């Protein structure tokens, strides 16, 4: 963990991760649905990009109410994605490219079709205690997908808890037998040679629903330490906890190495900056660049030296970053700016499929085009409340999760090279311009900026271990320094479509990367063009 003793450095601190949403990555058997063999066929592409690990969103058997985040069998693969043999092949083939496979561990809840829940419904006492039941709802706790979190079960004549859809009953983590079954299941996957786990909503497992305590419950860290002891100890597996409730103050509880819990967490404070505080994610607000600087910088500096960060702009739950905080009038410039700003920070970067080629949101115009359960629930509840359709669509088009889930754009052909038949979700019409092939054909494309950023991280320890210092600059200039062993780099981005004048007193020695293909021999009297971004090594 100590940067002075590099032999002990965990592999994931110098790694770059790539998230695959299997349903939308590559179809190989002409049914319009992405699958595991499709991913295998694209490993050379990912190797060319240079990534070290793939976070694979769930591929387990599932009724697909929440696209695989509702698992009915942790030991089986969803037929439309392929077979267990396909997954084993993926793990082996990826390894031959130096890429590890990170499985999505969804254990806050199961599907209501999981045999445990079906047994519980039938009256099997052992499995009833795997879930959370109440005679009467003790409170008005809301599901993250809208509506009540307590649903009446006819067969059981009582209510069960579901923090997500009613088809995703929450597991009772207080039950030691249930936990033992989870540890066993994790070992099953570890034995297949995976590189680790991304842990879905793991901050919720210590919940006390009757007290409305959700994230960071009293036993949360006891369970994570048990997981470490039982499953992870003496392995080099990476664990990334999805923790919607985490703050810089609580993050070290998960990630300080001496706590023996997780490698890192996903925090969401920056993702909330275009939401009105205290409201749902749908209550829109314009991003303020100073706020973004403040939040990201706080995460860079407030953690103890040995507690690791993750870095991300996008995932399968978020709209496309280029549409969100980039500028579609300057897609290349703003896309590269966002990439450089994030990848020069301290922590492990995660790229979401398509981000590296500049994929954008997919505008929908009718309710029929909504696929995601969260958006569907929102649409119906807003309609019932009499909200105007345009308002509802505006929110869904801005923040809805379907935006990230349209098929990967490989080329300009009819179905984008994703499939030979009409895909399960329409491909974005802009795939004729925005696609992998076009990116690979242009040395100046966004793809090659991502490729270069990954290569730089492998080459320069300052990117991995350097200290971070935010610079006091005008509101829309996002500038910071990294310092490492007598070396200082300066990262500067004009986060605006306006030309901006600025002077740094520092002297550059060498330009590392820039988005206007420029070299910087002085930082005095800069006339920064829209989204102009550069990284320079300073003269000592
Ligand atoms: O997401 C957790 C979560 O909190 C999301 O529901 C989030 O609030 C929402 O997506 C923001 O739009 C995880 C998974 O990443 C997500 O895909 C699942 O739907 C959810 O857990 C339930 O498993
Ligand atoms: Ca398929």
């Amino acid at each position: 963990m100590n940067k002075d003793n590099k032999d002990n450095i965990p592999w994931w601190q110098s790694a770059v991760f790539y998230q695959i949403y299997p349903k939308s990555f590559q179809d190989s058997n002409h049914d319009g649905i992405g699958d595991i063999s499709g991913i295998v066929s694209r490993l050379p592409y990912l190797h060319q990009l240079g990534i070290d690990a793939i976070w694979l969103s769930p591929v387990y058997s599932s009724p697909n109410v929440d696209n695989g985040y509702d698992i009915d069998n942790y030991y089986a693969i969803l037929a439309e994605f392929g077979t267990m043999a396909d997954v084993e092949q993926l793990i082996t083939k990826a390894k031959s490219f130096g890429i590890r496979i990170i499985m999505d561990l969804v254990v806050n809840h199961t599907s209501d079709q999981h045999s445990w829940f079906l047994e519980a419904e039938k009256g099997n006492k052992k499995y009833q205690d795997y879930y959370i039941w109440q005679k009467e709802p003790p409170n008005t706790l809301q599901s993250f997908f809208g509506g009540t979190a307590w649903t009446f079960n006819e067969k059981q004549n009582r209510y069960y808890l579901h923090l997500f859809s009613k088809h995703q009953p929450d597991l009772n983590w207080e039950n030691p037998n249930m936990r033992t079954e989870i540890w066993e299941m994790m070992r099953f996957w570890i034995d297949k040679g995976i590189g680790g786990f991304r842990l879905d909503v793991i901050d919720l497992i210590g919940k006390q629903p009757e007290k409305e305590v959700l994230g960071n419950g009293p036993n949360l860290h006891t369970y994570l330490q048990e997981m470490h002891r039982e499953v992870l100890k003496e392995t080099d597996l990476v664990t990334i906890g999805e923790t919607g409730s985490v703050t810089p103050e609580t993050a070290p509880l998960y990630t300080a190495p001496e706590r023996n819990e997780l490698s890192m967490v996903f925090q969401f404070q920056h993702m909330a900056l275009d939401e009105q505080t205290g409201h749902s994610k749908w209550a829109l607000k314009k991003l303020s660049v100073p706020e973004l600087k403040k939040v990201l910088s706080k995460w860079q500096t407030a953690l103890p030296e040995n507690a690791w960060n993750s870095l991300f702009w996008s995932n399968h739950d978020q709209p496309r970053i280029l549409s969100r905080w980039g500028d579609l009038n300057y897609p290349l410039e703003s896309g590269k700016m966002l990439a450089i700003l994030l990848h020069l920070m301290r922590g492990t970067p995660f790229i979401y499929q398509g981000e590296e080629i500049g994929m954008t949101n997919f505008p929908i115009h009718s309710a029929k085009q909504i696929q995601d359960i969260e958006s569907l629930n929102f649409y119906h509840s807003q309609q019932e409340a009499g909200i105007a359709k345009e308002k509802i669509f505006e929110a869904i088009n801005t923040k809805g999760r379907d935006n990230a889930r349209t098929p990967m754009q490989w080329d300009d052909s009819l179905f984008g090279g994703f499939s030979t038949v009409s895909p399960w979700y329409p491909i974005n019409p802009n795939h004729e311009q925005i696609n992998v092939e076009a990116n690979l054909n242009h040395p100046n494309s966004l793809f090659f900026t991502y490729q270069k950023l990954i290569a730089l991280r492998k080459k320069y320890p300052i990117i991995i271990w350097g200290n971070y210092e935010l610079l006091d600059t005008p509101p829309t200039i996002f500038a910071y320094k990294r310092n490492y062993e007598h070396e200082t780099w300066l990262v500067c981005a004009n986060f605006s479509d306006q030309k901006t004048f600025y002077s740094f007193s520092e002297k550059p020695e060498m330009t590392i990367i820039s988005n206007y293909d420029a070299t910087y021999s002085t930082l005095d009297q800069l006339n920064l063009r829209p989204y102009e971004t550069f990284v320079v090594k300073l003269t000592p």
Side-chain angles (χ1 to χ4, degrees):
M1 203 56 58
N2 186 329
K3 63 181 180 231
D4 301 324
N5 181 1
K6 295 226 176 57
D7 293 341
N8 289 332
I9 296 216
W11 65 270
W12 37 264
Q13 293 198 343
S14 58
V16 176
F17 285 56
Y18 187 92
Q19 184 192 353
I20 289 185
Y21 198 65
K23 198 168 185 176
S24 298
F25 193 62
Q26 177 67 61
D27 176 22
S28 72
N29 64 345
H30 320 290
D31 62 357
I33 300 171
D35 46 56
I36 295 160
S37 300
I39 301 174
V40 172
S41 75
R42 294 299 187 177
L43 286 170
Y45 167 75
L46 297 173
H47 182 61
Q48 184 182 359
L49 180 58
I51 53 115
D52 305 278
I54 294 171
W55 154 22
L56 188 64
S57 273
V59 293
Y60 315 92
S61 175
S62 161
N64 260 337
V65 167
D66 187 19
N67 276 354
Y69 285 90
D70 49 322
I71 297 167
D72 67 20
N73 184 351
Y74 293 103
Y75 294 91
I77 302 303
L78 183 65
E80 64 189 30
F81 287 160
T83 62
M84 189 61 85
D86 293 339
V87 175
E88 287 162 358
Q89 197 206 22
L90 173 62
I91 295 170
T92 314
K93 284 262 168 77
K95 205 166 276 170
S96 73
F97 284 102
I99 296 174
R100 303 180 204 227
I101 301 295
I102 311 307
M103 297 297 281
D104 213 316
L105 187 74
V106 189
V107 291
N108 172 70
H109 46 267
T110 67
S111 159
D112 62 354
Q113 300 305 305
H114 192 288
S115 62
W116 296 342
F117 196 76
L118 296 176
E119 279 299 309
E121 272 189 317
K122 277 193 230 152
N124 183 330
K125 288 257 175 323
K126 172 176 173 197
Y127 292 109
Q128 277 172 354
D129 197 46
Y130 278 28
Y131 296 92
I132 299 167
W133 304 89
Q134 293 281 344
K135 258 281 147 247
E136 291 299 327
N139 48 41
T140 57
L141 202 61
Q142 295 289 296
S143 143
F144 288 100
F145 291 161
T148 174
W150 298 101
T151 286
F152 188 70
N153 183 270
E154 300 278 347
K155 293 196 190 118
Q156 274 299 306
N157 198 29
R158 46 184 183 158
Y159 295 79
Y160 65 94
L161 177 77
H162 57 89
L163 292 179
F164 295 90
S165 94
K166 66 178 182 202
H167 300 295
Q168 294 164 293
D170 275 57
L171 284 167
N172 173 19
W173 273 77
E174 287 176 17
N175 182 325
N177 295 328
M178 193 287 291
R179 297 203 301 275
T180 305
E181 294 215 43
I182 301 290
W183 311 151
E184 215 172 282
M185 178 271 285
M186 290 174 77
R187 285 186 215 109
F188 168 86
W189 282 103
I190 293 169
D191 290 345
K192 298 216 174 285
I194 61 167
F197 298 99
R198 174 265 185 186
L199 298 87
D200 192 61
V201 289
I202 206 66
D203 58 332
L204 299 179
I205 63 173
K207 70 186 87 74
Q208 292 181 313
E210 59 300 335
K211 294 188 186 150
E212 306 207 14
V213 174
L214 297 180
N216 214 16
N219 288 327
L220 166 64
H221 295 286
T222 320
Y223 300 148
L224 289 176
Q225 285 169 8
E226 183 177 318
M227 176 189 289
H228 192 277
R229 213 165 46 238
E230 295 287 328
V231 184
L232 304 166
K233 199 175 58 186
E234 282 149 30
T235 71
D236 71 346
L237 297 175
V238 69
T239 47
I240 312 115
E242 188 202 24
T243 52
S245 64
V246 77
T247 63
E249 290 70 42
T250 58
L253 297 176
Y254 298 87
T255 56
E258 68 275 9
R259 303 239 338 143
N260 290 317
E261 297 192 16
L262 303 177
S263 315
M264 56 187 136
V265 291
F266 288 130
Q267 64 83 16
F268 289 88
Q269 294 191 325
H270 62 313
M271 292 282 108
L273 293 178
D274 53 15
E275 293 164 15
Q276 295 169 33
T277 327
H279 291 82
S280 81
K281 73 175 233 178
W282 304 108
L284 308 176
K285 186 181 104 179
K286 196 173 163 341
L287 175 74
S288 132
V289 177
E291 273 192 59
L292 181 67
K293 291 201 274 189
K294 201 168 105 199
V295 169
L296 288 178
S297 301
K298 188 178 63 180
W299 279 93
Q300 288 290 295
T301 51
L303 302 187
E305 169 84 355
N306 61 0
W308 201 247
N309 254 327
S310 71
L311 305 166
F312 71 96
W313 287 130
S314 342
N315 64 36
H316 66 295
D317 293 331
Q318 303 292 335
R320 289 282 176 185
I321 194 61
L322 196 58
S323 304
R324 188 182 193 176
W325 296 340
D327 185 334
L328 297 182
N329 294 318
Y330 296 92
L332 204 55
E333 294 80 359
S334 65
K336 289 180 179 182
M337 173 195 73
L338 290 163
I340 295 170
L341 271 179
L342 195 79
H343 282 248
L344 260 291
M345 288 185 179
R346 184 185 162 103
T348 301
F350 284 71
I351 302 167
Y352 179 66
Q353 67 181 42
E355 178 188 324
E356 78 282 13
I357 57 163
M359 280 177 64
T360 63
N361 282 352
F362 178 82
I364 60 158
H365 306 289
S366 86
K368 279 201 291 292
Q369 293 171 295
I370 307 174
Q371 278 279 344
D372 177 33
I373 182 167
E374 184 185 53
S375 297
L376 279 170
N377 288 352
F378 173 71
Y379 178 80
H380 293 304
S381 68
Q382 294 296 100
Q383 262 216 323
E384 275 162 35
I387 310 289
K389 270 217 169 100
E390 306 77 73
K391 272 263 159 251
I392 312 181
F393 284 132
E394 190 203 337
I396 292 181
N397 284 328
T398 313
K399 292 298 284 291
R401 305 196 298 181
D402 287 325
N403 283 310
R405 301 177 179 184
T406 63
M408 181 73 178
Q409 297 167 200
W410 296 101
D411 60 37
D412 63 2
S413 65
L414 185 55
F415 302 120
F418 167 74
S419 180
T420 52
V421 302
S422 179
W424 73 276
Y425 198 83
I427 192 154
N428 196 315
N430 68 19
H431 76 274
E432 289 180 7
Q433 295 80 43
I434 300 170
N435 60 62
V436 168
E437 200 177 70
N439 266 258
L440 295 181
N441 284 336
H442 290 96
N444 188 34
S445 69
L446 187 57
F447 175 91
F448 289 110
T449 291
Y450 273 91
Q451 186 193 52
K452 182 164 180 187
L453 287 166
I454 297 170
L456 287 172
R457 184 168 281 266
K458 304 266 176 288
K459 188 164 168 201
Y460 295 107
I462 188 173
I463 303 183
I464 305 169
W465 290 293
N467 291 333
Y468 173 100
E469 181 196 344
L470 180 70
L471 299 180
D472 189 10
T473 50
T476 55
I477 292 185
F478 193 159
Y480 59 84
K481 279 184 183 167
R482 303 290 309 274
N483 299 294
Y484 182 71
E485 293 180 346
H486 312 297
E487 190 170 325
T488 303
W489 286 15
L490 187 148
V491 179
C492 170
N494 176 21
F495 207 129
S496 144
D497 63 357
Q498 300 297 307
K499 279 195 176 173
T500 310
F501 292 92
Y502 195 67
S503 288
F504 291 96
S505 54
E506 287 84 350
K507 305 267 172 293
E509 181 181 292
M510 173 171 90
T511 304
I512 306 287
I513 190 169
S514 74
N515 64 346
Y516 274 85
D517 213 8
T519 43
Y520 296 79
S521 50
T522 170
L523 304 181
D524 192 32
Q525 307 207 14
L526 290 169
N527 179 4
L528 295 167
R529 291 160 280 186
Y531 305 102
E532 183 163 355
T533 302
F534 61 82
V535 181
V536 291
K537 179 183 172 195
L538 297 177
T539 36

